[in-house]
């Protein structure tokens, strides 16, 4: 069974940093791109970025709204993806999801972790 | 970025009804369009990929169609477990973008 579980969310002050983890199992992690999304309270889905598998270059792409502040990485030996978030703003408050699948189709999602940016 | 527009934003309906949700892209995306279902407090669930292909395990009452810039998601014989929010998403190019969602609730 494919499983993805995010962790690391919580309350953080504006300007601080936070790292989220996405622990996966049940599929060949190294073969798939890993993506991150967020959903602000009562709002729609926003893609944050993804990290390609090694076979497709092992590089990352980001949404313009987070580029330069957020960094996605992956550890294929542990089947874990990470989202490092720096210089957090109140508008980054959201539920953050990791997801996997093929290129831009997202078959499997974690349940999400809430990040609240507030003083 | 490709803009995705869904309509309606919400609709009230009854068990057994047929529901159609539309999605329009700001440019031609061929059939590179996915549909997701999301229930409150849960992650999105892939229903249909590449416009008309039913994801494994998804009931056959869900169907998708369209190409180019105009797409539809149809739910036939709506069931109680189908009350949720539905999102379209273009998978044509980066960044992948979503429609604003259509909330289907009970009349």
């Amino acid at each position: 069974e494919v499983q993805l579980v995010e962790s690391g969310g919580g309350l953080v002050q504006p300007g601080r940093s936070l790292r989220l983890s996405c622990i996966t199992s049940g599929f060949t992690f190294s073969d798939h791109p890993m993506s991150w999304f967020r959903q602000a309270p009562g709002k729609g889905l926003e893609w944050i970025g993804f990290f390609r598998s090694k076979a497709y270059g092992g590089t990352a792409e980001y949404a313009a709204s987070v580029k330069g502040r957020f960094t996605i990485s992956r550890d294929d030996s542990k089947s874990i993806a990470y989202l490092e978030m720096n210089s957090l703003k109140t508008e980054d408050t959201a539920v953050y999801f990791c997801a996997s699948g093929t290129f831009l189709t997202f078959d499997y999602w974690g349940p999400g972790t809430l990040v609240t940016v507030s003083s | 970025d490709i803009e995705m527009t869904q309509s309606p934003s919400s609709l009230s309906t009854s068990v057994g009804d047929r529901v159609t949700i539309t999605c329009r892209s700001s440019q031609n995306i061929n059939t590179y369009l996915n549909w997701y279902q999301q229930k409150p407090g849960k992650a999105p669930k892939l229903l249909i990929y590449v416009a008309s292909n039913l994801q494994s395990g998804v009931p056959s009452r869900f169907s998708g169609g369209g190409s180019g810039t105009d797409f539809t998601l149809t739910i036939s014989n709506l069931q109680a477990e189908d009350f949720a929010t539905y999102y379209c998403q273009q998978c044509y190019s980066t960044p992948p973008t979503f429609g604003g969602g259509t909330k289907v609730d009970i009349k």
Side-chain angles (χ1 to χ4, degrees):
Chain A
E1 180 192 6
V2 173
Q3 289 193 319
L4 292 79
V5 179
E6 303 89 347
S7 63
L11 175 63
V12 61
Q13 293 179 326
R16 303 297 291 263
S17 299
L18 201 63
R19 187 176 83 157
L20 306 182
S21 300
C22 174
I23 300 169
T24 76
S25 62
F27 66 105
T28 306
F29 180 85
S30 59
D31 287 349
H32 294 270
M34 291 299 300
S35 296
W36 286 90
F37 298 83
R38 65 184 179 183
Q39 187 169 36
K43 301 297 184 182
L45 295 161
E46 180 187 14
W47 176 79
I48 293 171
F50 64 61
F51 200 106
R52 295 180 179 87
S53 65
K54 274 188 182 175
Y56 288 88
T59 56
E61 286 194 41
Y62 300 94
S65 58
V66 304
K67 194 171 184 180
R69 292 193 302 127
F70 289 12
T71 302
I72 298 172
S73 60
R74 59 190 293 158
D75 185 334
D76 286 355
S77 69
K78 297 180 179 178
S79 299
I80 301 176
Y82 300 98
L83 176 64
E84 182 82 32
M85 303 183 291
N86 297 319
S87 304
L88 283 162
K89 307 174 183 180
T90 55
E91 53 263 41
D92 294 319
T93 293
V95 175
Y96 285 73
F97 299 98
C98 63
S100 187
T102 59
F103 190 41
L104 297 180
T105 294
F106 310 105
D107 305 69
Y108 299 105
W109 296 67
T113 187
L114 176 62
V115 172
T116 303
V117 184
S118 174
S119 55
Chain B
D1 298 1
I2 299 174
E3 186 174 344
M4 307 301 294
T5 304
Q6 280 181 243
S7 61
S9 57
S10 66
L11 64 94
S12 295
T13 187
S14 303
V15 171
D17 284 355
R18 178 186 176 96
V19 165
T20 297
I21 298 167
T22 63
C23 178
R24 177 165 289 175
S25 55
S26 60
Q27 66 183 69
N28 187 337
I29 58 170
N30 200 326
T31 56
Y32 291 101
L33 190 284
N34 301 323
W35 290 97
Y36 299 82
Q37 176 193 67
Q38 188 179 32
K39 296 182 179 179
K42 301 294 186 182
K45 173 187 173 183
L46 179 65
L47 296 177
I48 289 176
Y49 60 96
V50 197
S52 61
N53 295 276
L54 203 64
Q55 176 71 345
S56 175
V58 174
S60 59
R61 62 180 180 271
F62 291 90
S63 62
S67 66
T69 61
D70 294 295
F71 302 87
T72 58
L73 172 69
T74 298
I75 312 171
S76 303
N77 188 22
L78 197 78
Q79 298 298 296
E81 59 266 32
D82 301 335
F83 291 100
T85 299
Y86 294 85
Y87 293 94
C88 62
Q89 174 242 326
Q90 64 82 13
C91 52
Y92 180 81
S93 65
T94 306
T97 45
F98 292 84
T102 296
K103 185 177 181 180
V104 177
D105 62 20
I106 301 172
K107 185 183 290 182

